[in-house]
Amino acid sequence: VSNEPAEEEGDSGETSSEEGSAGGTMNDEPGDTVTIGFSAPAADHGWMGAITSAAVDTADQYEDVELRVAEGTNDVNVQISQIETFIADGVDAIVLLPFDGAALTDVATEAMDAGIPVINVDREFSSPFAARSTVLGDNYGMGVSAGTYICEQLGDQPDAVVAEIQGIASLPLTQDRSQGFADALSDCGLDVDNQVSAEFTVQSGEQVTANLLQAAPEIDAIWNHDDDQGVGVLQAIENAGRDEFFMVGGAGSLDVMEHIQSGDTVLQATVVYPSTQAADGIKLARLVAQEKDLDDLASSSVPRTVQLFAPVVTADNVDQFMDIGFRS
Amino acid sequence: MVTEDPAAPLLQMQGIVKHFPGAKALDGVDLDVRAGEVHCLLGQNGAGKSTLIKVLAGAHQPTAGTIRLDGDEIAFPHPDTALEHGVATMYQELDVVDGLTVAENIYLGHELASAGFTLRRSAAQRTRQLMDRLGHPEISPHREVGSLSAAGKQIVSMARALSRDARVIVMDEPSAVLDSGEVDNLFRVVDELTEQGIAIVYISHRLEEIRRIGDRITVLKDGVTVGRNLDVSTTATDELIKLMTGKNVEYAFPERPGVPDDAPVRLEVTDLALADVFSDVSLTVRAGEIVGLAGLVGSGRSEILETIYGARRATRGRVELDGKSLRRGSVGAAVAADIGLAPEERKSQGLLLDEPVYRNVTLSSFARIARGGWLDERAERSAAAEQAAALELRPNDVERPIRTLSGGNQQKVMLARWLVHGCEVLLLDEPTRGVDVGARSEIYDLVRRLADAGTAVLVVSSEIPEVLGLSDRVLVVSDGQVVHEGPAEQIDEHQVLDMVMEGSVA
Amino acid sequence: MSEQQTSSGAATHTPTARAGGRRTRGRLPGLSGLSGATVRNLGLVAALLLLCLVGFLTGGDRFASLTNLMIVLSLAAVTGVIAIGMTFVITTGGIDLSVGSLLGLTTVWASTLATQTMADQYGWIVMVGCALLVGLAAGLINGVVIAYGNVVAFIATLAMLVAARGLAELIANRRTQIVDQPSFETTFQGDLLGVPKIVWIFVVVAVAGWFLLNRTTFGRRTVAVGGNREAARLAGIDVKRHLMYVYGLSGLTVGIGGVMLLARTGAGSSTNGLLLELEVIAAVVVGGTLLVGGRGTIVGTVIGVLIFATLTNVFIINNIDSSVQQIARGAIIVAAVLLQQRFARRSKAG
Amino acid sequence: MSEQQTSSGAATHTPTARAGGRRTRGRLPGLSGLSGATVRNLGLVAALLLLCLVGFLTGGDRFASLTNLMIVLSLAAVTGVIAIGMTFVITTGGIDLSVGSLLGLTTVWASTLATQTMADQYGWIVMVGCALLVGLAAGLINGVVIAYGNVVAFIATLAMLVAARGLAELIANRRTQIVDQPSFETTFQGDLLGVPKIVWIFVVVAVAGWFLLNRTTFGRRTVAVGGNREAARLAGIDVKRHLMYVYGLSGLTVGIGGVMLLARTGAGSSTNGLLLELEVIAAVVVGGTLLVGGRGTIVGTVIGVLIFATLTNVFIINNIDSSVQQIARGAIIVAAVLLQQRFARRSKAG
Ligand SMILES: Nc1ncnc2c1ncn2[C@@H]1O[C@H](COP(=O)(O)OP(=O)(O)OP(=O)(O)O)[C@@H](O)[C@H]1O
Ligand SMILES: Nc1ncnc2c1ncn2[C@@H]1O[C@H](COP(=O)(O)OP(=O)(O)OP(=O)(O)O)[C@@H](O)[C@H]1O
Ligand SMILES: [Mg+2]
Ligand SMILES: [Mg+2]
């Protein structure tokens, strides 16, 4: 289904994610059996869980792929050791979603030097030589999309109150998202009045939101970075009985899309941050390892960088996105 | 008044054997106890007395042997079972819980409760009755036990034994932390109990106490019964000591050679005070002199020693050693100036129980044993072994963990620590508490030898005869004040008692 | 100067002080056995009030409102219930590191499709029963390993922490499970007499915990086991069984917390309760329960939990940067403990 | 079967065993004063060997290779160095929860633009000095608060955990700082004689730690303070100052760990060391150091760290689902402790 006409003209953001479904391209023909090592941070929030599940599911679709999944860890020391083990094992390719891109750069370079192609997913290495190919989400772009959407809605009210609920504040990706958000808002003369950070978890989302709502008695718009913690955020809003504002989500979980579709909550939109990145990574890794090309492209080999688009999902276009939403 | 046939034993223990990993504590002990008697258990430190009564209490399981109660063979797999059968025990190690109140401690394990809820009022009421009976109406049932003195805790422990419907009450060195007034009180209660036909098993190292209340004696040595059914009134002290130690021991205090008049003053304490505990304590100890501090439990003697030593910060006053002032509140300064303290509670204040003997001995002497922070274990061992041999440590093995030594030998290790260090002033707090007769006279001799070698010794003891017998000079302390000072020969036990008699246990 | 004054003042009062001292060993005269705990709690209350003052000065009506009070209480409720159970564990001298991950496990297990489907048939009791049973069972396993296996509590419950998180992930398949069970929602969500139901649950558990610790044989034995394990054994208490029960109790309170969290967030997730253990233990210890065992205070624990909840609230109301928040939080924890100690000392000295 | 064999074997040797036993109290015959610790370590070694056996049976050459050994050792190195410091802390009866977040702080501080620029001028010593100083200073602050402020270690270091993380975030501005300092990289990255340099550092620190604990007055004092604080004080040891030093030492090892982690990852980040504290403590305690203090073993700690590292390695090699991994990890931790106890008991009985 990857060659649906709708997609050709529509959102390019779907290109890569569409590959997740059982495809019918030439490249899906079985080839040499390849072993792919996969390592990602701990599945301590829904999006990360979805990443790993999607990667495993994708690998299962190919009988010529043997996937090695390392224990999800937030300890870069352990993750480095996992990659070292993959290198020692002589896997054919490595798909790596590093807990911290910079910290895993050296070991990824080592893998590349050892002739093992590394597909870098989501959090970028600090050196271009560390990965054969990089599948990137667009964190900055996500913030920009959310900010732009809020600007569209509130642009005529310069003193509108905008609140932001971050994920784990200490992660670079959070900073990128916030930066994009702030930049986009400043374009239309708005700024972030209240900023809190949760932990990407339902529980923390509920806790900080309950307090946030108290801190800000009048709000016009909220951007919540992560739909998984959004479950708690929504519940807190419901518990507080507040509805004078609208909310924009982040990541694009199926629940959120359902809410957008039905319009039963303050959720008006969400910004997609594909949870299928690692699945794409697996596909690319397989192609690279089998020395095949990405036959949807005219150029002859797998591209160095695939940056996924961060589209805004609203009630108008939600139907198109339902099938890439992940169950958080 | 004995109710049944006095000869029929109420309790019979036969051939009790108890092995610990690597040690045989009991190797065939027999004991029979009649209703209404005070049965005394004698033996040196480590003879196995406490182990035997722990077997009786169900706290240890015997390796072999039988226990009969009223002629029926019986086993006590848990402390609970023994208590249910009317065997109540006051243990040697204080077995109270500091965080609970007096009433809660007494009824711990057999709480007065309905549907799991404690009946605090009736517990308090009964506790008051028990405390009245023990002569301590001032101890409130709601008081936290942690705030009581050691003697007060012992009384709670006794009340607990009484609160059980006991037929046999075992008392393991109950008088160790009591002073003479308290001991009188204890004996009055013991008399009451025996009149009701309750049997008492009484353990003590003080032979004079056994003379006062005992009926019959069983003697243990090295985990074996060596003397049974000895009548208190007809057995001579020499004979008991011989049974216990296997040799003839002079149970006497060493000679007092007398301190020469020109002996320099080693320790001089001027107007020392510790807020709310004692005030205006002034004393001197000359080289070669043994000075004793007599007084009731709780009169503040331990605090005086600890304050001199710097373990407590004096609120006022001065401590001088050979004319040089010591820094206030610094143990390090005291130790560096060659003052040593053997504290009152050996186990909690003095020893590293899991560490071997030699490490306990050298703990204060790193300055001598170590070079630039590096330890020379061989030097440590040999220094410790030398003292162990001189003190006749039993067993004479410096590798053994202190925990496995008997009380008297633990005390010797404490002394060895200061011998290795080399002290000008030695502060001894209750140096013979829980120490058996044999070891006692060894410790007396040792202290005297130290004094003869020029050490100034300050001794605290709750046993007035000991203070009087050992010291050259005695200070009597009452309620934080020195009320008398004079040569030990010129005062007797009754005079001391008269001087201190308005004290309290709590 | 002031030292001089104090000591001369003490000298004047020496006779009375000594007389009083003889009875109560340097405690304040005239206060009964509870006074020690009460005085220690005063320091905590002072810390809490200070925090509230700061909240009021910086937040004004946004802080000092009934709504905000309810927010703080709701925030405190789940942690608070679990802290009650933890108070018992710490009073025995133990520790339970598994509460956070067990909280995740109970919410996941009680909100699986299967459980919710059964609940549609038999009512909310199925979900609640499931949460309580899972919590209790896991707690009892902790207890057995610790009491009968002689594994030190820190390690045994750390192992449970790791294992329970893994199990929760397996069961939830790493997804968030939304609660969509009307009978559960109507029973546990929303308010009762203007107060959120989960706050009521917290109040009930705290009161029950207070009675259990202070007025029952179970509670007194808990103190005894923590204060002097050997003495407790010699008094005929089955120490091992008791320890097992105490860890079971902790697990049970986690189960209750799980129900409350499900009600509050409307979702079961294996990430629930991440790092909760440290917060709960901190609240209990700041509250005055001794880590070495032998002394526990439910009132202190409740105040400790409220201090932490209020702190979060004040921070967010003042819109403080999260890094700065953390630095301040660290400093405030230490300050609260020091303040509490100061009170305790002064009460002794006075 | 095998148990039968062992016990009959022991019976044959009984006479010797008893003779030895009289001197060394039921220890294995012929072993000197250290034997207690050695015997306990035997249980650990058995656990490690068992794990290696499983690794070999399931992974074959992929497990039993020199490369893989180096991978395991590199993984263990950072944790191991910090665990050495932690062993001292736990031997005093304390705990240091702040090591993980201090690790983050030291890596961040040592890799700021300012530090790296200075390092370009004066060499890698600037970065190393910075990491060590930051670790040492934070450790000493812990020590002062604990020893002189009388704040219980759990709370004091928990506060430091929170505060240091916040400070690290502030300094790094929540970005990862890349190490781009040639002299540092050439000095600490790569191998020496075929062994990664950070493994060498681990070895050096472990050996130094062993001597410090077993052969110096500092170590002896550490054991004394943990074994009986009051006795140590009355023996003339300045307990407070010593405690301060011990926490300082722990901070210092964290600083060393920070340098190693910077070398390994080439990046300083405030997220470094997340949750490391629990892993380090677990390794130390599984290694046989008593949480209540008074007994510490460096050899045990090293084996404990190796067990955890090998476990991770075996899991990866066997491609086990990560949720299942966690459940297994929990079970194995408990099993290792039980195995160790079994050895200790049997040695006593023999
Ligand atoms: N738990 C134990 N493990 C190993 N050995 C023990 C244990 N308890 C006691 N022992 C040993 O058993 C012997 C008897 O000890 P016990 O405490 O019964 O002596 P005791 O007669 O009560 O001495 P004391 O007068 O000093 O109280 C001693 O050698 C002691 O070291
Ligand atoms: N920690 C304390 N706080 C307040 N008062 C105390 C404390 N310790 C002791 N006291 C008081 O100091 C006085 C002396 O105590 P202590 O029991 O040490 O005297 P002692 O003469 O050495 O008796 P003992 O023979 O029991 O050692 C008592 O009145 C006691 O109430
Ligand atoms: Mg005894
Ligand atoms: Mg005393």
Side-chain angles (χ1 to χ4, degrees), chain B residues 296-303 306 344 429-430 433 460 462:
Chain B
L296 292 181
V297 169
S299 56
R301 296 158 304 160
S302 295
E303 276 84 353
E306 287 168 11
E344 176 173 23
D429 199 352
E430 309 281 5
R433 172 175 294 177
V460 165
S462 298

Side-chain angles (χ1 to χ4, degrees), chain B residues 20 23 25 44-51 92 173 205 404 406-407 434, chain D residues 25:
Chain B
F20 288 112
Q44 277 185 290
N45 293 124
K49 306 178 295 294
S50 300
T51 309
Q92 184 173 8
E173 300 195 35
H205 291 293
T404 65
S406 69
Chain D
R25 272 256 148 172

Side-chain angles (χ1 to χ4, degrees), chain A residues 44 203 206 211 215 235 328, chain C residues 62 68 176 264 271 273 313 319:
Chain A
D44 53 13
Q203 190 184 5
E206 195 275 338
N211 283 296
Q235 188 69 46
S328 67
Chain C
R62 285 184 304 144
N68 194 42
T176 305
R264 185 149 168 80
T271 64
N313 184 261
N319 202 15

Side-chain angles (χ1 to χ4, degrees), chain C:
Chain C
M1 260 296 286
S2 83
E3 207 175 25
Q4 199 86 30
Q5 203 180 8
T6 324
S7 72
S8 76
T12 338
H13 289 89
T14 301
T16 11
R18 288 218 55 79
R22 201 168 297 158
R23 262 214 322 286
T24 57
R25 267 248 157 175
R27 292 271 167 68
L28 284 178
L31 294 178
S32 80
L34 275 174
S35 64
T38 317
V39 166
R40 274 188 298 276
N41 285 342
L42 275 185
L44 277 182
V45 172
L48 184 56
L49 286 182
L50 213 67
L51 201 57
C52 288
L53 189 70
V54 172
F56 181 68
L57 290 180
T58 55
D61 286 352
R62 285 184 304 144
F63 178 80
S65 72
L66 206 63
T67 343
N68 194 42
L69 178 66
M70 288 309 147
I71 288 173
V72 173
L73 288 178
S74 309
L75 184 63
V78 177
T79 325
V81 165
I82 297 171
I84 300 292
M86 185 70 84
T87 305
F88 282 80
V89 169
I90 296 184
T91 302
T92 66
I95 203 159
D96 188 350
L97 294 177
S98 67
V99 290
S101 101
L102 284 184
L103 184 68
L105 182 64
T106 56
T107 61
V108 163
W109 210 316
S111 62
T112 53
L113 196 61
T115 330
Q116 291 201 44
T117 317
M118 265 185 76
D120 288 339
Q121 211 173 340
Y122 301 104
W124 52 265
I125 192 75
V126 176
M127 290 171 67
V128 174
C130 174
L132 298 192
L133 273 183
V134 169
L136 180 65
L140 287 176
I141 293 175
N142 277 336
V144 168
V145 173
I146 292 164
Y148 295 96
N150 282 320
V151 177
V152 53
F154 195 98
I155 295 297
T157 57
L158 181 63
M160 180 59 87
L161 183 166
V162 178
R165 190 74 71 200
L167 187 58
E169 282 178 12
L170 267 194
I171 293 178
N173 197 15
R174 302 200 188 98
R175 312 205 168 214
T176 305
Q177 302 171 158
I178 310 278
V179 175
D180 186 19
Q181 211 294 314
S183 86
F184 181 84
E185 289 172 302
T186 52
T187 314
F188 292 102
Q189 288 180 345
D191 297 357
L192 187 71
L193 306 175
V195 176
K197 285 177 189 162
I198 61 167
V199 174
W200 283 116
I201 298 181
F202 176 30
V203 171
V204 170
V205 171
V207 171
W210 188 88
F211 272 98
L212 188 62
L213 184 62
N214 295 295
R215 291 286 180 268
T216 68
T217 56
F218 182 86
R220 300 292 83 194
R221 288 175 180 199
T222 304
V223 175
V225 167
N228 189 339
R229 190 170 162 158
E230 184 61 11
R233 189 179 80 91
L234 293 176
I237 294 171
D238 190 337
V239 171
K240 298 193 175 208
R241 200 177 56 196
H242 193 85
L243 278 178
M244 186 182 75
Y245 288 162
V246 167
Y247 285 89
L249 176 70
S250 174
L252 190 67
T253 58
V254 173
I256 300 175
V259 172
M260 294 159 72
L261 192 61
L262 273 186
R264 185 149 168 80
T265 63
S269 155
S270 61
T271 64
N272 279 335
L274 262 181
L275 291 185
L276 189 71
E277 52 279 359
L278 291 185
E279 190 183 332
V280 169
I281 296 169
V284 172
V285 177
V286 165
T289 297
L290 287 188
L291 265 178
V292 292
R295 193 171 78 204
T297 148
I298 298 286
V299 177
T301 296
V302 170
I303 304 178
V305 170
L306 289 180
I307 286 180
F308 280 93
T310 311
L311 199 57
T312 306
N313 184 261
V314 171
F315 280 147
I316 294 184
I317 283 190
N318 285 296
N319 202 15
I320 291 175
D321 175 87
S322 77
S323 305
V324 179
Q325 270 189 36
Q326 292 185 65
I327 299 176
R329 193 184 292 265
I332 289 171
I333 294 174
V334 170
V337 174
L338 289 176
L339 190 71
Q340 183 193 358
Q341 279 179 0
R342 193 162 200 113
F343 261 77
R345 249 202 307 279
R346 185 166 316 163
S347 85
K348 268 197 192 146

Side-chain angles (χ1 to χ4, degrees), chain B residues 55-200:
Chain B
V55 167
L56 175 59
H60 284 327
Q61 293 313 304
T63 316
T66 55
I67 303 175
R68 283 174 210 278
L69 203 59
D70 279 335
D72 303 327
E73 189 169 335
I74 198 164
F76 297 141
H78 297 294
D80 219 9
T81 0
L83 288 165
E84 273 164 19
H85 283 89
V87 178
T89 307
M90 292 166 60
Y91 296 90
Q92 184 173 8
E93 266 75 45
L94 289 175
D95 56 344
V96 289
V97 180
D98 283 351
L100 295 180
T101 66
V102 170
E104 285 166 348
N105 260 289
I106 289 174
Y107 287 99
L108 187 64
H110 63 132
E111 294 86 354
L112 302 176
S114 100
F117 282 87
T118 48
L119 303 170
R120 288 160 30 106
R121 201 165 303 157
S122 41
Q125 204 179 348
R126 290 207 214 167
T127 301
R128 256 181 229 113
Q129 288 167 4
L130 285 169
M131 286 304 169
D132 284 347
R133 194 169 152 199
L134 289 170
H136 285 284
E138 82 282 2
I139 298 181
S140 152
H142 300 300
R143 174 121 173 235
E144 228 176 72
V145 163
S147 71
L148 291 173
S149 65
K153 289 177 184 173
Q154 188 66 273
I155 285 155
V156 172
S157 181
M158 198 182 326
R160 178 198 285 172
L162 293 184
S163 75
R164 300 272 183 172
D165 242 348
R167 302 161 67 197
V168 179
I169 297 182
V170 183
M171 301 183 175
D172 195 352
E173 300 195 35
S175 58
V177 295
L178 302 180
D179 62 42
S180 46
E182 282 312 315
V183 172
D184 290 344
N185 228 335
L186 170 72
F187 289 172
R188 186 178 48 71
V189 178
V190 167
D191 282 341
E192 268 175 38
L193 293 172
T194 47
E195 269 166 38
Q196 295 162 19
I198 294 172
I200 309 284

Side-chain angles (χ1 to χ4, degrees), chain A residues 94-139:
Chain A
I94 293 171
V95 176
L96 175 56
L97 199 174
F99 179 71
D100 182 327
L104 271 291
T105 302
D106 285 352
V107 75
T109 312
E110 216 177 285
M112 292 286 286
D113 291 348
I116 301 172
V118 176
I119 310 297
N120 179 200
V121 177
D122 188 37
R123 303 179 187 174
E124 202 172 1
F125 294 142
S126 56
S127 153
F129 307 109
R132 163 68 183 78
S133 201
T134 303
V135 183
L136 279 186
D138 186 2
N139 284 302

